[in-house]
Amino acid sequence: MLNMAPLLFPRVLDGGPANTDSLGIFYVVITILYSLLLSGELFLLYRHRLAFCVRIRNVKVVLCAICMLHVYLVIVLLVYPENGLFPCAAEFWIMSVFLPSGMAFFQACNARVLTAYESQKRLRRNFLEGARKKRLQWTPRGLWEAWIELDAASKVYMGTVVGLVLSFIPAIILFFGSRRFHASYGVFGPIVDSRVCRRGAEWVPSIFIQLFWTALVGPWILWKIRRVNDVHSWAWQTRLAIIAGLPGTPLWMAFTYAKLPGMLAINKYFATAGWFIPSLVVCQQVLIVIPLREAWKSKPRPLSTSSTTSTRTLQSPGSSILSKSPGVSSKELRPRASMHALEATIEKNIEPLIAWAAEKEFTAENTIFLRQVRNWKNKWAPLTTVTTAQRRQMFTEASLIFFTLVNPFTAETPINIEYKIFHALQDLFSTVEFDPYEPTGRSGTPDSTRDKENVVCPWEDTLDRPASIKSEVSASSVSSTRSLVPSQFTENIFDAAFESIKYLVFTNTWPRFVEGEMGGNATP
């Protein structure tokens, strides 16, 4: 995708009348048919935008990248029919600005799998980390730390903006300064025809930009996701897309500058930039077909219990995996896929399910929410009487769960619950202020926020505090606490959200997890 290709043979591509022979018509028909096919695929992808496997890929970025690459693909396909009538100046701007932007968005699509993978690792390690933020310091060290904290996709977006600014300046200088693009003015370069125009040194910056995205950013993403093996085929989609984009540049350079008779004969009927077409088509199709396939497969379904193949069986909820069984009947399979089995796992040993959801399905926030609500209720439910201070601590811990796992405005990866349930929780915690920034004392070390009774901060893990705090407070403090904790607050506030997420896990994550364990692939 470097240079669109030069029209090196005046006898065939001479800038004269359009080539309306059978080959030219073939190129036009192929362009129309493929554009219609791609439009239909994009329509289907947009219709399935709410499916989780499509939503996590950010359908807007995918659509933008595909459309940008398709404009370039259409231009390449029409080089022969147009017979070089496409202006060299227009091609220069496409190569210098438009195409790099398309490739940047394309790599941003690929980087999103790394972003999701890193986010899930943070959730599994400590779900509070994702909600923590640091104030930006406008110093070299502060800016460097802010860059390090960015996820992979954000780094690609930032690189796109910086790259466009850096590439736009030399593009303006080269375009208006070179006589290759306009004979009436300029300060350097010879006056040439449209065929030679496409072979000057003015194209070198666009070549380096293209190599940066395909030969540096692409392999970097490949290396970072080398251990990712998710159930959505997202990692394999990314690998295929990046690898497909690698051969285009070497092939273009070989057919543009080589003088071998065989290559020269091919160039008469197939523009050298056409060697990017296979890469473009593969890149577009893997970004569309694989998510669509996963969307159709991922409809909520109970685990099939009719299989009698050799499987691995689940142990009791307190364990993980039993030894292989030569044959398992449907009666034996059904209890392992039941809601009762899931509830027992949540209560006694949910960590394997969390690990599997984080590394395979990218839905650890759901199982972590179930675990945290379970721990929170187990901590406070046994108390027959609750002091004022304990009630305040109980409310603070519940607020932390809400802001870090439920609230879409503050949680890094919020759970997906019905709006009615969320709205009830939002009203309940409306008196609480969430401060995601690291508190600092006079010495520059994290300081406690306990003096701010209506503020919760993810930097202070109050969830690990014991529930045995004694109420040694004044009457004014008691009155303040009562005003801060709503009267409708009880240990059952998360019940509706808990049941909603439990059913979501039961219909999506749990069947895959059980099948993975029976196949011996559940343990990450």
Side-chain angles (χ1 to χ4, degrees), residues 95-115:
M95 290 296 305
S96 299
V97 178
F98 188 85
L99 183 59
S101 301
M103 288 308 302
F105 276 105
F106 170 69
Q107 296 296 2
C109 294
N110 297 328
R112 282 193 60 80
V113 65
L114 179 58
T115 298

Side-chain angles (χ1 to χ4, degrees), residues 253-275:
M253 296 181 68
F255 279 85
T256 298
Y257 298 104
K259 303 300 180 181
L260 297 178
M263 291 184 174
L264 296 177
I266 293 175
N267 289 347
K268 294 180 180 180
Y269 306 101
F270 189 73
T272 54
W275 295 104

Side-chain angles (χ1 to χ4, degrees), residues 37 94 156 226 228 246 253 336 344 397 460 491 496 502:
L37 173 65
I94 289 175
V156 175
R226 64 191 183 280
V228 181
L246 293 177
M253 296 181 68
R336 301 181 194 117
E397 293 177 3
E460 205 172 325
E491 69 272 10
K502 183 175 69 173

Side-chain angles (χ1 to χ4, degrees), residues 43-107:
F43 173 75
L44 290 176
L45 186 68
Y46 187 76
R47 283 197 62 182
H48 290 83
R49 65 190 181 279
L50 298 181
F52 177 76
C53 57
V54 177
R55 192 171 68 250
I56 59 176
R57 288 167 163 91
N58 195 334
V59 68
K60 294 181 180 179
V61 178
V62 173
L63 293 176
C64 185
I66 290 174
C67 291
M68 282 184 157
L69 294 179
H70 188 65
V71 170
Y72 182 79
L73 184 146
V74 169
I75 293 173
V76 171
L77 284 172
L78 297 180
V79 166
Y80 180 85
E82 289 181 342
N83 196 16
L85 294 179
F86 186 73
C88 179
E91 182 178 334
F92 175 81
W93 285 109
I94 289 175
M95 290 296 305
S96 299
V97 178
F98 188 85
L99 183 59
S101 301
M103 288 308 302
F105 276 105
F106 170 69
Q107 296 296 2

